[in-house]
Each structure stands twice: as C-alpha cells, then as structure tokens.
Amino acid sequence: MKYIKLRDLEVSRIGLGAMGMSTAYTGSGTDDAESIRTVHRALELGVTLIDTAEIYGPYTNEELLGRALKGRRDQVVLATKFGMVSHAGDGPGNLDSSPANIRTAVEGSLKRLGTDHIDLYYQHRVDPKTPIEETVGALAELVAQGKVRAIGLSEAGPDTIRRAHAVHPVTAVQSEYSLWTRGLEQRVLPVLRELNIGLVPFSPLGRGLLTGRIRSTDELAADDFRRSNPRFAGENFDHNLALADQVQALAAEIGATPAQVALAWVLAQGDDLAPIPGTKRVQRVEENTAADALRLTDDQIARLSSLPQAAGDTHNEAQMRMMER
C-alpha cells in the first residue's frame, strides 16, 4: 500500500469507509463480527485511514469501530464527523455546528471510539445557522487541547473552505467524487490545491453501481437508502447501469474488476487524494485495496473520463439542500 499526505497528515492511498457496516445499506448491522474482521484485514493490508461519523447509526458505527480498534488504535488515522446530530434537543438529522454542540459531540465520539484523540475531525455538513468561523474556532480549541489532530469539512463549497482555512488550516475536504460524479472539479478542487488541502472522495464506487454487481433495485432491501436515491430510480438507473457496463467492459479487457478500475481512475487524478470505498466484507476490502497496484494507461483514463455523467442527483432532495458545491 502506498501512502500520501493530506496536507501534513500521512494516510494510506486507499482508506475504508465504515458507514455501511452499521447503517443505510442492505445487510447493514447484521454481522458485526464480519465487519470487525474487515477492519482487521484492512489494517493487515496497510490501510490506515478509517472513516466514520456520529450520525451513522446514530452512534453504533463509532461503537463498532471502538471495538474493532481496541489494541490497534496506533495503526489508524481515525476520522469521524460531527454536525448532523443536535445534542441540544433536536436530535439526529438536524444540522448543528455551534461551538457548544461540537464540545458535546467530540466527548461522545471519543468515548464511543475508545480513544483520547481523533486524528481527523470533519464538519459533516455546513450549518447555515452558525458562521463557519465560529465552528472552526471551536475546532481549533480542540486541536490545542489535543483532542483533535486535524480538522476537515465535508461537502463544503469554495467560499466556506476559504473562510474556514483562514481561521485554522483545513487538512482535508470530504466530498463525493468518482468517474461519474465530477462536479467538484471546476470549483472545489482548484481551491483545495491552491490551499494545499487534501481531498477524501467518498462513494468512489457510485454506491455500488460501478462494481457491476447491482443489476436491479429489487436486490436492495426495503430499508436500503439507495431506494430513495435518484440515481437508482427508473430511467436514471437504466442509464447508469449502461455506464457501469462500459466500466465492466474495460475491466474485462485488462484483467481487473470494475471496482478496481473505478478506484484506479480516482487515484490517477492526483497524489493529494485518498478515496474511502465502503464495505463490510473481507473479500471486498481485499479487492478494493488491490486497486492501489493497478496502473491505467493514458488511453484507458481518457476512455473512462469521456463517459457521460450519471443521471440523477447524488442524493435525495432533502440531502441535496445540505450540500455546498
């Protein structure tokens, strides 16, 4: 496994997103033992960046990682997120990045994760009710106290990133990015590179569609959040499935899996980004991490880059309103 730097934080070139181990996807929360084996196998393969959030569950994903990392904490660059749970009474799903809420949130995350510090602490979504300067000021205090090593933002736009970075250096921005979700390339990515801020792409496999293993939404459980995702709906799904088939065709030509090709394309976009494909299975973490050794030719990268964008928004309407781009 190769390693890169997100600003001054060294991480594995490919990380691990833990959300699906506990929530949102078909089978989530049904086999914690396999999820823990997956975390352990990822560490054996050289993965160091592991990502979670207090809203995942809520809380259960952090608790799971706390168990999985017991005795192994020093092997991990541990990232978690705050701001989608209001601890003042409004509860989960309500944006709150006020300093008071951050102070409450961090203590809960530290306890659940079984650690005395968080390596990378993200604002999960920008809170329009709290100036970003106040949010980052509170995070800077946590850095000074040793509870947080580095701070990040998730799905923030250029203006917010600049304002945040002016208060305290931002180490990374997490955003959805894949070969068919490329909206940040024009406005966000240039700002990140100007300010030396790393990018952590989530959903680099298109929530599973780019793996080629999903052929019908009937395969998804009734509580799978993808059933409400526009990219999995009607004609959008058919269009996107055809795009995934083109990725699969290239993968077959070069003796790789579609997931490995999709990840290799992301990795080819720069040495300042570390995607975090999510999985809850040992076999998949082995497949995904092997993408680090796959080198696409310039022609293959161009062929993938020329694919049309996926049809449909990346999130449902309520979730889209929480995002800046």
Side-chain angles (χ1 to χ4, degrees):
M1 176 67 69
K2 297 178 181 61
Y3 298 84
I4 61 142
K5 284 195 172 181
L6 302 170
R7 196 168 188 85
D8 52 4
L9 194 65
E10 186 174 78
V11 300
S12 54
R13 189 84 162 109
I14 297 175
L16 173 63
M19 180 183 80
M21 296 177 180
S22 303
T23 189
Y25 287 90
T26 298
S28 295
T30 60
D31 194 346
D32 283 358
E34 174 66 5
S35 293
I36 290 173
R37 285 192 292 270
T38 299
V39 172
H40 292 171
R41 182 60 177 142
L43 297 180
E44 292 171 357
L45 293 168
V47 172
T48 61
L49 179 61
I50 298 183
D51 183 270
T52 182
E54 65 172 359
I55 190 65
Y56 298 161
Y59 312 128
T60 54
N61 195 238
E62 288 185 329
E63 293 168 348
L64 174 67
L65 283 185
R67 298 195 299 273
L69 296 176
K70 188 174 183 179
R72 306 169 193 251
R73 176 66 180 89
D74 60 353
Q75 300 178 46
V76 176
V77 176
L78 187 54
T80 191
K81 299 181 281 294
F82 70 89
M84 290 191 73
V85 178
S86 175
H87 296 278
D90 292 334
N94 293 282
L95 298 182
D96 188 346
S97 287
S98 64
N101 199 62
I102 292 171
R103 288 190 286 270
T104 301
V106 73
E107 297 302 331
S109 289
L110 289 170
K111 181 177 180 180
R112 289 186 290 271
L113 292 166
T115 186
D116 63 355
H117 72 282
I118 295 162
D119 295 302
L120 181 53
Y121 200 36
Y122 292 101
Q123 180 191 40
H124 206 151
R125 293 291 185 269
V126 177
D127 175 11
K129 303 185 302 297
T130 306
I132 193 64
E133 291 82 1
E134 293 183 15
T135 296
V136 177
L139 293 173
E141 292 178 4
L142 297 181
V143 173
Q145 294 165 9
K147 294 179 180 180
V148 169
R149 285 181 61 200
I151 68 173
L153 305 172
S154 182
E155 293 292 15
D159 180 62
T160 298
I161 294 168
R162 289 186 185 280
R163 289 167 54 201
H165 191 71
V167 176
H168 185 280
V170 175
T171 291
V173 168
Q174 183 177 124
S175 287
E176 182 165 354
Y177 185 52
S178 69
L179 64 87
W180 66 9
T181 304
R182 300 172 59 184
L184 58 76
E185 289 181 343
Q186 298 302 313
R187 298 181 65 245
V188 175
L189 197 51
V191 173
L192 301 186
R193 288 179 169 157
E194 174 193 338
L195 300 177
N196 187 28
I197 298 172
L199 174 66
V200 177
F202 70 82
S203 295
L205 301 178
R207 295 185 174 82
L209 261 180
L210 286 169
T211 68
R213 288 187 286 270
I214 300 173
R215 306 304 301 177
S216 168
T217 54
D218 292 339
E219 302 168 25
L220 307 179
D223 61 350
D224 191 308
F225 89 110
R226 289 172 291 187
R227 284 187 172 271
S228 67
N229 186 287
R231 292 196 168 179
F232 287 77
E235 293 181 356
N236 289 347
F237 180 79
D238 295 337
H239 171 89
N240 297 335
L241 195 60
L243 295 180
D245 288 344
Q246 294 186 57
V247 178
Q248 191 161 25
L250 176 56
E253 292 173 18
I254 64 177
T257 69
Q260 290 166 345
V261 168
L263 286 170
W265 180 90
V266 173
L267 295 174
Q269 305 312 304
D271 58 4
D272 54 355
L273 49 83
I276 48 169
T279 186
K280 53 185 178 293
R281 297 185 179 91
V282 169
Q283 179 183 359
R284 296 303 171 219
V285 84
E286 292 174 341
E287 175 186 357
N288 292 344
T289 54
D292 183 52
L294 180 61
R295 294 291 176 271
L296 300 174
T297 67
D298 290 345
D299 287 345
Q300 290 162 351
I301 292 171
R303 179 171 157 188
L304 293 167
S305 297
S306 68
L307 288 174
Q309 293 289 281
D313 286 335
T314 59
H315 295 72
N316 65 33
E317 185 176 348
Q319 293 165 337
M320 290 296 291
R321 287 196 297 268
M322 295 184 182
M323 298 164 58
E324 295 184 348
R325 278 298 176 91

